[in-house]
Amino acid sequence: MSSLETALEHGLTEEEYNKITGALGREPNLTEIGILGAMWSEHCSYKSSRIYLRNLPTTGDRVIQGPGENAGVVDIGDGLCVVFKMESHNHPSFIEPYQGAATGVGGILRDIFTMGARPIAILDSLRFGDPSLPKTKYVAGGVVAGIAGYGNCIGIPTVGGEVYFDHCYDGNPLVNVFALGVTRADEIFKGYAEGVGNPVIYVGSKTGRDGIHGAVMASETFTKEAEEKRPAVQVGDPFTEKLLLEACLELFKTGVVVGIQDMGAAGLTSSSTEMAERAGTGIRIDIEKVPRREEGMTPYEVMLSESQERMLIVLEKGKEEVAEKIFKKWGLDFSVIGEVTDSHSIVIAENGETVADIPLSLVSEEAPAYDRPVKEPSNLAELGRLDHSELPVPGDLGRVLLTLLSSPTLANKHWIYEQYDYMVRTNSITLPGSDAAVVRIKGTPKAVAMTVNCNSRYCYLDPYTGAAIAVAESARNLACSGALPLAITDCLNFGSPETPEVMWQFKRALEGMAEAAIALDTPIVRGNVSFYNQNEDRAIFTTPTVGMVGLIDDAQRHLTQWLENEGDVVALLGETKEELGGTEYLSQIHGKTAGLPPSVDLEREKNLISTLLKASGEGILNSAHDLSEGGLAVALAECCFNPNGPLGVRVDIPAEIRPDALLFSETQARAIISLDEKNIKRLEEISQEFGVPMEIIGRVEGSRIYVRELLDVPVSEALTAWTTGFENNLKSYG
C-alpha cells in the first residue's frame, strides 16, 4: 500500500497528504501518518470550525483561563476558582454505550484534576432516538449505566443534567459530559513542556491497543459498519483513575511539576505535541520506555493508543525520585520516557533509532483550516410556516397537560438519576430535578450552581435563535437557583462540515451564542466541537449544548423550583405571547415540528435575571422556576412536585390569547415564583426597578393544579403521569 493510500485510510485528503510531503521534503512513514492523521482530524484540529470559534467572547473580569488549556477557570472570590469543561463522547457511545459513556466521564474528570482542581460534580446532557426502538433502549440503558458506573466508583457525584428524545438521534446519540472542580486561584497547573532538558514522565495505567484511531473515528460519519469499530472505543477503569487523581493532587503539593496533560483523544500523540507547542519547545519520546500491557506493540500503536487513566508530566530535572515515590505509593506506573528539547519538533525514537520526526508547526499551526461553503437549507422557509388558525384547540386541556408530563423528554428522569450517587462527598445541596444543580464549597459560605441546556428543535428551526435561547435559558436556570451566571463551556454537536447547510447552521448558531453570551456577560471559557453526527440517512438536529456555571455567595439563599408553603402567593415574571412554533405541545399534541421558535429578547432576559437575583438575595422568594419546554402549565405542575410532599396551586390568569397558547406557549424571559404575601410590595418594587412585568396569578393551596376554567387536574394524577412516563418507555430495555 502506498503512503497516499495509507494517508487516505487515516482520514487525510490527497491535498493534505501533499501538504505533508511538501513540508517534510519526503514521504511520511506509517507512524508519522498516524500522528498527523490524528492531529489533523476534525476532532483534534477543529479545521472546519476554527474560523468561527475565534469570534466567540472568551474574556471577562472573572476569567482566569480561557480556551487553549485542558479546562476553563473562573474566579469565585476569596482566592478560590472553579475549573470546568464539557466534552462529547458521541461516536464511542453508539458503538459501545457503556464504555463510551464511562470513558467520557473519565476523560472529562482528568481534564479537571490535570489543572490542579479536585472534581466535585458531574452533569450530563444526553440525546437519544425514538424511545420505542429497541436500539434506543439498549443505547440509553448502556450510556446511563456507564455514567453511573464510572462516577459512582470514583466517588464524584452526578448532580444533574438533561435528557431529550427525538428520531433525529436514531443511530447517533449525543453524550455530552460536564465536570467541575475547585482549587485555589494561585494553584493552577497547565499543559506546558517547558525547560530544555526537563524529563518527560509517563504515569498511570499501562498502554494497550484499545482506542487506537479513536480521534479519527470521531471525525467520521456513521455507517452500517460503525459497530464493527469497537476496538476504537477506549476501556475505562474508575478505580485506577481514583488512584491517579489522588496521586496527581499529592504531586502538585511538592512544587516539582512544570506541566501536565491528560492523554485524551490521540493519546500520547496529542499530549506530547500540544504541551511542546504551547511552550514553544520540542519533545523527544523514547517509545520503548512507555509501559505496555500488550506485547509486540509498534511505535505507531503506542503513540495512537487512547488507553485511559494516563498522564504526561514534565518535571523539574532532578526531581524524578520525588514524583516516582508518590506514584509508586499509589500503585501506578511511573516511567521517564523522554525529555524537553529545543528542536521545535516531536521526535520518536525506539532503542536509539528515530522512527518519527515531525516539526511541531506542521502538527499545529500549519494544520489545515477550512472556510467551508455555507448555504441556508432550502426547506427552512417552509419549516418556519405555521398558521395558528389551522391548529384546533384541544377540548380537554387537562389531558394535554398529562400527555406532556408523561412524554419521554419532559417526564421525571428518576430512573436515570437514581442510578447516580448524587450525594457522595456530601456537597450536594439541591436534589436532581430542579433548574440547576447546587453544590456547596466546603469551608466557605459559597455554593456553585451549574446547568446544561439546549433545545435542539429550536435550533433546527432557527439555529441563531435556538443557540441564543440555550444561553439565555441556562442563565435563567442559574438565576432561579439564586446564582449569578459567570461563564460558559459548550459542546457543539453538528452533522458533516462538508455539507454547506450544516456549516450554515454552525455559523448561525455560533453567532446567536456569541450575542447572548456578550449580552448576559457569560464568556465562553472552554468548549468542544463534535462534527459528523449523522448516519447515512440524515444529520442530527443542530445541538449546541451550553453548560453554564454560577455563584451563590451565601448558600443559604439558594432556591429550588418547588413550592414550599401552603398559602404562599404565586407570581409570574414576564409576559406570555402566542408562540407555539417549535414547542413540545406542537410536537406531542399536533405531531408537528414547524414554525419559528420563541423570540429571544436579551435585554428582557438580563432584566429578569437581575430581578430574580436581587429578590433572592434579599430573601423574599421561597421558590423560582423558569418557563421553558411545556410552558406555564408544565412549569406549574413541576413546581407542585416537591420531593418532601406535593402541593397544589390555584391560578387565575386572564386569557388574552388562545387558551392552549396561554398554557403551553414557550415564550422566553419568564419565571414562576412563590413568596409570602408580606413580600409582594417589595417584589413589585424590584420588578419595576428592572422593568420586568409582574403579575400575582394565584396561591399555593389544595391538592389540584387549577388554572381558571381551563385546566383542573389532581396533583396526584399529574405526578403519576410525570413519574411513570419515562420509566414505562425505557426501564425494561434490552
Side-chain angles (χ1 to χ4, degrees):
M1 183 182 294
S2 70
S3 294
L4 174 58
E5 291 173 319
T6 302
L8 295 175
E9 286 196 348
H10 284 73
L12 295 165
T13 66
E14 185 172 356
E15 182 182 0
E16 290 169 349
Y17 175 77
N18 291 334
K19 182 176 181 177
I20 291 168
T21 58
L24 294 177
R26 56 178 173 80
E27 288 191 346
N29 61 37
L30 176 61
T31 301
E32 292 166 336
I33 288 174
I35 290 171
L36 289 164
M39 296 307 294
W40 284 21
S41 70
E42 197 71 62
H43 189 75
C44 291
S45 74
Y46 294 86
K47 58 188 176 185
S48 299
S49 56
R50 291 208 306 270
I51 64 167
Y52 299 111
L53 295 174
R54 64 171 65 109
N55 297 323
L56 294 175
T58 59
T59 59
D61 292 341
R62 291 181 178 266
V63 176
I64 296 174
Q65 177 63 58
E69 267 294 337
N70 292 295
V73 185
V74 174
D75 188 355
I76 60 170
D78 300 321
L80 298 172
C81 62
V82 288
V83 180
F84 60 99
K85 184 186 181 183
M86 185 162 53
E87 279 273 6
S88 62
H89 236 222
N90 305 335
H91 291 61
S93 298
F94 174 75
I95 295 169
E96 212 307 299
Y98 185 98
Q99 290 295 350
T103 53
V105 173
I108 197 68
L109 291 176
R110 289 194 300 279
D111 285 331
I112 303 305
F113 70 77
T114 297
M115 301 284 294
R118 180 175 290 279
I120 63 171
I122 300 167
L123 287 79
D124 48 65
S125 174
L126 309 176
R127 301 289 191 284
F128 302 114
D130 182 344
S132 67
L133 298 177
K135 181 67 176 181
T136 297
K137 297 176 182 180
Y138 165 73
V139 171
V143 164
V144 171
I147 294 170
Y150 207 101
N152 293 353
C153 288
I154 197 173
I156 310 294
T158 301
V159 294
E162 60 169 7
V163 185
Y164 282 77
F165 293 85
D166 194 280
H167 67 88
C168 76
Y169 302 107
D170 293 345
N172 197 138
L174 301 184
V175 178
N176 296 174
V177 183
F178 168 105
L180 177 142
V182 180
T183 189
R184 294 199 59 79
D186 57 357
E187 295 179 356
I188 296 167
F189 291 83
K190 298 181 180 182
Y192 280 75
E194 292 181 313
V196 174
N198 278 336
V200 175
I201 312 297
Y202 174 114
V203 299
S205 293
K206 289 180 169 61
T207 295
R209 290 188 170 95
D210 55 312
I212 295 173
H213 302 311
V216 175
M217 178 202 63
S219 307
E220 295 176 343
T221 297
F222 277 126
T223 64
K224 293 178 180 178
E225 293 75 35
E227 291 181 80
E228 297 176 5
K229 297 184 178 182
R230 279 191 170 89
V233 178
Q234 310 95 326
V235 178
D237 180 355
F239 300 102
T240 298
E241 177 125 335
K242 173 63 173 175
L243 299 175
L244 183 62
L245 184 160
E246 299 299 340
C248 286
L249 293 181
E250 183 176 339
L251 177 67
F252 293 147
K253 296 176 182 178
T254 65
V256 304
V257 176
V258 175
I260 180 170
Q261 177 129 333
D262 162 45
M263 296 190 206
L268 184 54
T269 287
S270 61
S271 56
S272 58
T273 57
E274 289 173 359
M275 290 180 73
E277 191 274 331
R278 290 189 192 112
T281 57
I283 196 164
R284 192 197 77 247
I285 303 294
D286 296 316
I287 203 72
E288 76 278 0
K289 296 178 181 178
V290 174
R292 309 172 191 196
R293 64 171 183 262
E294 298 183 50
E295 295 183 358
M297 292 186 69
T298 64
Y300 168 92
E301 292 173 321
V302 174
M303 289 300 298
L304 294 177
S305 167
E306 295 182 8
S307 294
Q308 299 291 283
E309 293 81 42
R310 303 179 300 158
M311 293 284 190
L312 196 66
I313 303 174
V314 175
L315 296 176
E316 292 181 11
K317 192 172 183 177
K319 304 296 184 179
E320 293 91 333
E321 289 186 9
V322 174
E324 184 175 14
K325 183 178 179 181
I326 291 171
F327 285 96
K328 293 299 183 184
K329 182 185 83 171
W330 290 98
L332 298 166
D333 277 290
F334 177 98
S335 181
V336 180
I337 65 167
E339 67 175 10
V340 179
T341 70
D342 60 0
S343 68
H344 303 290
S345 297
I346 178 170
V347 177
I348 313 299
E350 185 175 39
N351 298 316
E353 180 181 347
T354 298
V355 296
D357 187 347
I358 307 173
L360 286 171
S361 59
L362 184 60
V363 177
S364 56
E365 63 191 59
E366 294 178 34
Y370 296 126
D371 186 0
R372 303 268 193 194
V374 298
K375 181 183 178 183
E376 182 176 309
S378 58
N379 66 339
L380 199 64
E382 182 61 30
L383 280 173
R385 294 194 183 96
L386 179 66
D387 187 345
H388 287 185
S389 66
E390 296 179 357
L391 296 175
V393 178
D396 188 345
L397 294 172
R399 181 55 51 187
V400 170
L401 173 61
L402 295 175
T403 299
L404 292 179
L405 289 173
S406 64
S407 69
T409 291
L410 295 185
N412 184 15
K413 305 303 188 303
H414 67 94
W415 176 78
I416 289 180
Y417 63 70
E418 284 179 359
Q419 296 184 54
Y420 305 150
D421 188 345
Y422 49 80
M423 293 301 294
V424 65
R425 302 190 67 82
T426 67
N427 292 319
S428 305
I429 295 176
T430 302
L431 296 177
S434 196
D435 285 322
V438 180
V439 178
R440 68 172 52 86
I441 307 299
K442 286 185 176 178
T444 80
K446 303 175 186 286
V448 173
M450 58 208 95
T451 184
V452 289
N453 287 286
C454 179
N455 187 312
S456 55
R457 193 183 295 125
Y458 293 169
C459 296
Y460 171 64
L461 297 170
D462 181 349
Y464 180 95
T465 300
I469 287 175
V471 174
E473 183 181 349
S474 297
R476 287 200 308 275
N477 285 168
L478 296 178
C480 284
S481 303
L484 172 69
L486 297 182
I488 291 170
T489 179
D490 59 49
C491 244
L492 308 176
N493 308 275
F494 289 78
S496 170
E498 299 167 45
T499 303
E501 289 82 358
V502 169
M503 286 310 299
W504 181 87
Q505 293 169 333
F506 184 83
K507 177 176 181 290
R508 291 294 290 158
L510 262 66
E511 290 170 349
M513 185 178 290
E515 182 177 356
I518 292 170
L520 301 179
D521 193 22
T522 50
I524 302 167
V525 297
R526 198 59 172 87
N528 169 245
V529 179
S530 177
F531 278 130
Y532 295 99
N533 289 289
Q534 61 187 62
N535 52 39
E536 294 169 321
D537 299 322
R538 62 178 180 266
I540 63 164
F541 284 173
T542 295
T543 311
T545 306
V546 170
M548 190 178 288
V549 173
L551 176 65
I552 306 175
D553 284 322
D554 182 357
Q556 294 184 347
R557 296 290 194 191
H558 83 279
L559 294 171
T560 67
Q561 68 186 38
W562 301 299
L563 302 174
E564 293 289 341
N565 307 304
E566 186 87 14
D568 275 355
V569 171
V570 177
L572 173 65
L573 298 177
E575 294 178 312
T576 303
K577 302 177 183 178
E578 195 169 289
E579 295 179 307
L580 295 177
T583 60
E584 193 72 13
Y585 165 75
L586 188 67
S587 175
Q588 294 293 330
I589 305 304
H590 296 283
K592 295 179 178 287
T593 298
L596 295 174
S599 59
V600 60
D601 186 324
L602 296 171
E603 189 64 27
R604 289 192 176 191
E605 297 282 5
K606 189 174 181 178
N607 291 336
L608 174 64
I609 289 165
S610 297
T611 300
L612 288 165
L613 291 177
K614 190 162 187 175
S616 63
E618 293 185 11
I620 66 172
L621 302 183
N622 293 333
S623 72
H625 184 24
D626 89 302
L627 273 66
S628 54
E629 288 91 351
L632 174 66
V634 168
L636 284 170
E638 291 170 339
C639 291
C640 292
F641 301 153
N642 192 315
N644 296 320
L647 294 167
V649 64
R650 187 176 181 87
V651 168
D652 187 6
I653 184 172
E656 298 176 356
I657 56 178
R658 50 185 286 167
D660 56 346
L662 176 71
L663 294 173
F664 307 115
S665 168
E666 294 176 9
T667 299
Q668 302 294 293
R670 296 184 297 162
I672 290 285
I673 57 176
S674 68
L675 64 163
D676 191 287
E677 195 163 9
K678 68 182 182 184
N679 292 319
I680 292 177
K681 186 175 186 304
R682 180 57 183 147
L683 178 63
E684 289 174 340
E685 293 171 349
I686 295 171
S687 299
Q688 290 172 4
E689 177 185 350
F690 295 105
V692 173
M694 189 209 89
E695 184 176 6
I696 302 299
I697 61 171
R699 192 175 293 272
V700 181
E701 63 177 47
S703 59
R704 306 180 75 86
I705 303 167
Y706 175 85
V707 183
R708 286 182 39 191
E709 71 277 2
L710 303 177
L711 187 151
D712 188 2
V713 176
V715 173
S716 59
E717 189 175 349
L719 183 59
T720 297
W722 181 69
T723 303
T724 61
F726 178 79
E727 186 175 345
N728 290 341
N729 276 284
L730 281 176
K731 190 172 183 179
S732 60
Y733 80 94

PDB file of all heavy atoms in Angstrom, residues 79 236 263 437 521:
ATOM      1  N   GLY A  79      -9.776  33.994  46.825  1.00  0.00           N
ATOM      2  CA  GLY A  79      -8.641  33.185  46.406  1.00  0.00           C
ATOM      3  C   GLY A  79      -9.006  31.851  45.794  1.00  0.00           C
ATOM      4  O   GLY A  79      -8.118  31.040  45.501  1.00  0.00           O
ATOM      5  N   GLY A 236     -12.509   1.925  30.231  1.00  0.00           N
ATOM      6  CA  GLY A 236     -12.210   2.701  31.422  1.00  0.00           C
ATOM      7  C   GLY A 236     -12.023   1.856  32.672  1.00  0.00           C
ATOM      8  O   GLY A 236     -12.549   0.752  32.784  1.00  0.00           O
ATOM      9  N   MET A 263      -3.778  12.283  28.730  1.00  0.00           N
ATOM     10  CA  MET A 263      -3.705  11.624  27.432  1.00  0.00           C
ATOM     11  C   MET A 263      -5.118  11.291  26.987  1.00  0.00           C
ATOM     12  O   MET A 263      -5.643  10.207  27.257  1.00  0.00           O
ATOM     13  CB  MET A 263      -2.855  10.355  27.512  1.00  0.00           C
ATOM     14  CG  MET A 263      -1.391  10.614  27.846  1.00  0.00           C
ATOM     15  SD  MET A 263      -0.383   9.125  27.637  1.00  0.00           S
ATOM     16  CE  MET A 263       0.944   9.482  28.795  1.00  0.00           C
ATOM     17  N   ALA A 437     -28.213  22.411  39.361  1.00  0.00           N
ATOM     18  CA  ALA A 437     -27.575  21.707  40.470  1.00  0.00           C
ATOM     19  C   ALA A 437     -26.814  22.725  41.302  1.00  0.00           C
ATOM     20  O   ALA A 437     -26.174  23.634  40.763  1.00  0.00           O
ATOM     21  CB  ALA A 437     -26.630  20.634  39.939  1.00  0.00           C
ATOM     22  N   ASP A 521     -23.098  38.681  29.801  1.00  0.00           N
ATOM     23  CA  ASP A 521     -21.791  38.723  30.460  1.00  0.00           C
ATOM     24  C   ASP A 521     -21.379  37.341  30.963  1.00  0.00           C
ATOM     25  O   ASP A 521     -20.975  37.157  32.117  1.00  0.00           O
ATOM     26  CB  ASP A 521     -21.802  39.727  31.613  1.00  0.00           C
ATOM     27  CG  ASP A 521     -20.400  40.055  32.125  1.00  0.00           C
ATOM     28  OD1 ASP A 521     -19.429  39.847  31.361  1.00  0.00           O
ATOM     29  OD2 ASP A 521     -20.276  40.531  33.277  1.00  0.00           O
TER      30      ASP A 521
END
